[in-house]
Amino acid sequence: MHRIDIPRKSIYRLSIYQRCLAKLRENSVDTVSSEALAKAAGVKPTQLRKDLTYFGQFGTRGLGYNVEALVKIISEVLGHNRLQPVILVGAGNLGSALLRYGGFRKEGFEVIAAFDLAPRPQPGLGIPIYATSEMPQFIRTNQVKMAILTVPTSGAQAVTNQMVEAGIQAILNFSPTILDVPDHVVVNSVDLAVELENLSYFIR
Amino acid sequence: MHRIDIPRKSIYRLSIYQRCLAKLRENSVDTVSSEALAKAAGVKPTQLRKDLTYFGQFGTRGLGYNVEALVKIISEVLGHNRLQPVILVGAGNLGSALLRYGGFRKEGFEVIAAFDLAPRPQPGLGIPIYATSEMPQFIRTNQVKMAILTVPTSGAQAVTNQMVEAGIQAILNFSPTILDVPDHVVVNSVDLAVELENLSYFIR
DNA sequence: AATTGTGAATTGATTCACAGCT
DNA sequence: AGCTGTGAATCAATTCACAATT
């Protein structure tokens, strides 16, 4: 597939459409127009249609899209039709919070282990916390491809190097720093302070 | 100021530059070239320069930028030269985690109160948790302009309406839903599941 | 009649190339 | 000589306008 020339933003929006479709399916809606779905997703109808046609033609003219079918297609495109194992590195405040939050499970991700330099057992968490030194081995034996990074800035790059070396291909980074990774590794960064800071520009 | 035609992404990057500058200042660096700063921020030097010139001319040709001065200028542009009060609504897993995380404080934000439909006192948090019903009054009396929203999807829009009505102008939204707000209100959404889902497209 | 799919047009962001300072 | 500031050129994303299909 020519993944290379599909805008990254389109792929990002696919995930959003997927969530909206899930909601429609819950409500037993079986067909939806680009107009309706776009509105739910907060985009323009033409943009939705263009995004979808990067991957094929899935609609019926005069009618709209079949919800069930579209869900399936997007699942396949995003490559997450089966449960994807994820590890979390850095079980401090933010890290253990995310573990407890658990909003990932129903979206097809399972955090199967967490790692920390100083692992303390955390009651009621339901997943094991190991020493970071055991991480590379764990990644290899469990063929883990995705990681959530919630270590402090100072350790972020070093941990990243280890993860990448062991086979991690995608990182959701919460450390407020730019990670240096090889081309085949993808990083999505979420910097909470930057998000807030950015907002403050817009208040008068 | 003609805020309207400055790309939102430039403003976003300003926050990133600010963090890099802070690090340089800690290390007692007093002058930095666009090349060095851009590298630290993960962008191209020309982009950094263009971003800055939306707001004025701050560099010295042949030399670079004065770190101290630039920090000050960006602070002013982002309108956060003084501590900005913020409230957090929805003290569930993610919400109380963010409160504990506290990565905001040093960036000039102070979470001064949290609200929840069922407020339980949370030990060691250092800030009060009130019932959501008291929120509008609190926003008004304390002139709060910014809010972090961590309620479940179902309640998000209703709470948002109340917040906006009471005077909130910027929202950092963690609920996985599109918020409908008037034009003068800005929303930054962070959808953790979408971020993960998006990444899974890139692993082979 | 309704709605998708898409080439063309437009708008927006990034990068280039070099003039202008220090 | 070195580095910023910026108009022009390029590249990318969005939106339009309408032909194609059911």
Side-chain angles (χ1 to χ4, degrees):
Chain A
M1 198 188 291
H2 295 297
R3 306 199 148 189
I4 236 57
D5 45 18
I6 295 167
R8 200 164 159 170
K9 280 186 159 187
S10 293
I11 294 158
Y12 188 87
R13 284 189 296 262
L14 243 40
S15 309
I16 298 175
Y17 304 149
Q18 186 71 311
R19 178 185 323 277
C20 298
L21 287 164
K23 227 175 274 178
L24 290 170
R25 192 165 56 168
E26 270 171 40
N27 301 338
S28 309
V29 177
D30 55 69
T31 299
V32 68
S33 69
S34 61
E35 191 176 335
L37 182 53
K39 193 173 177 195
V43 303
K44 293 251 159 66
T46 41
Q47 182 161 67
L48 165 61
R49 297 206 296 273
K50 180 128 294 182
D51 283 343
L52 291 178
T53 54
Y54 283 122
F55 304 97
Q57 300 183 184
F58 310 118
T60 310
R61 295 174 197 224
L63 235 173
Y65 299 88
N66 179 279
V67 173
E68 195 68 27
L70 197 49
V71 165
K72 212 161 173 182
I73 285 152
I74 297 181
S75 271
E76 257 157 47
V77 168
L78 292 176
H80 107 45
N81 22 22
R82 68 204 179 296
L83 210 63
Q84 182 71 242
V86 181
I87 59 167
L88 182 142
V89 187
N93 276 331
L94 186 58
S96 47
L98 291 179
L99 291 176
R100 242 179 283 275
Y101 168 57
F104 311 125
R105 245 158 271 170
K106 67 168 186 296
E107 312 288 339
F109 300 98
E110 190 187 5
V111 181
I112 58 171
F115 297 89
D116 198 283
L117 280 178
R120 294 156 298 164
Q122 301 206 19
L125 214 61
I127 69 146
I129 303 189
Y130 302 115
T132 304
S133 56
E134 297 176 40
M135 182 190 69
Q137 182 62 57
F138 188 96
I139 292 172
R140 269 185 262 264
T141 51
N142 294 278
Q143 306 240 42
V144 184
K145 306 248 170 57
M146 298 180 68
I148 301 174
L149 186 64
T150 47
V151 302
T153 312
S154 57
Q157 185 63 55
V159 170
T160 299
N161 295 346
Q162 285 179 56
M163 293 198 298
V164 169
E165 162 81 12
I168 287 292
Q169 287 171 14
I171 300 171
L172 181 50
N173 171 40
F174 287 88
S175 307
T177 184
I178 307 293
L179 297 178
D180 203 2
V181 295
D183 282 349
H184 70 280
V185 177
V186 194
V187 178
N188 266 193
S189 283
V190 175
D191 188 324
L192 303 176
V194 167
E195 295 294 336
L196 260 191
E197 214 167 40
N198 175 244
L199 279 177
S200 75
Y201 174 80
F202 296 97
I203 66 184
R204 68 216 63 181
Chain B
M1 199 187 291
H2 295 296
R3 306 200 145 188
I4 237 57
D5 45 17
I6 295 167
R8 200 165 158 168
K9 280 186 159 187
S10 292
I11 294 157
Y12 187 86
R13 284 189 296 263
L14 243 41
S15 310
I16 298 175
Y17 304 149
Q18 187 71 311
R19 179 188 318 282
C20 298
L21 288 165
K23 228 174 274 178
L24 290 170
R25 192 165 54 167
E26 270 171 40
N27 301 338
S28 309
V29 177
D30 56 67
T31 299
V32 68
S33 69
S34 62
E35 191 176 335
L37 183 52
K39 194 173 179 195
V43 303
K44 294 250 158 67
T46 41
Q47 182 161 68
L48 164 60
R49 296 204 298 272
K50 179 129 294 184
D51 284 342
L52 292 178
T53 53
Y54 282 122
F55 304 97
Q57 301 183 184
F58 310 118
T60 310
R61 296 173 195 222
L63 235 175
Y65 298 89
N66 179 278
V67 172
E68 195 67 29
L70 197 49
V71 164
K72 211 161 174 184
I73 284 151
I74 297 181
S75 271
E76 257 157 49
V77 168
L78 292 175
H80 102 49
N81 23 20
R82 68 205 177 297
L83 212 61
Q84 182 70 243
V86 181
I87 58 168
L88 181 143
V89 187
N93 276 330
L94 186 58
S96 45
L98 290 178
L99 290 176
R100 243 179 282 275
Y101 168 56
F104 310 124
R105 245 159 273 170
K106 67 168 185 295
E107 312 289 339
F109 300 97
E110 190 187 6
V111 182
I112 58 171
F115 297 90
D116 198 284
L117 280 177
R120 293 156 300 165
Q122 301 205 20
L125 215 60
I127 70 146
I129 302 188
Y130 303 115
T132 304
S133 55
E134 297 176 39
M135 181 190 68
Q137 183 62 56
F138 187 95
I139 292 171
R140 269 186 263 263
T141 49
N142 294 278
Q143 306 241 43
V144 184
K145 306 248 170 58
M146 299 181 66
I148 300 173
L149 186 64
T150 47
V151 302
T153 312
S154 57
Q157 186 62 57
V159 170
T160 299
N161 295 346
Q162 284 179 58
M163 293 197 299
V164 169
E165 162 80 13
I168 287 292
Q169 287 171 13
I171 300 171
L172 180 50
N173 172 41
F174 287 89
S175 307
T177 185
I178 307 294
L179 297 178
D180 204 1
V181 295
D183 282 349
H184 70 279
V185 177
V186 194
V187 177
N188 266 193
S189 283
V190 175
D191 187 323
L192 302 176
V194 167
E195 295 293 336
L196 261 190
E197 213 167 42
N198 176 244
L199 279 178
S200 74
Y201 174 80
F202 297 96
I203 67 184
R204 67 215 62 177

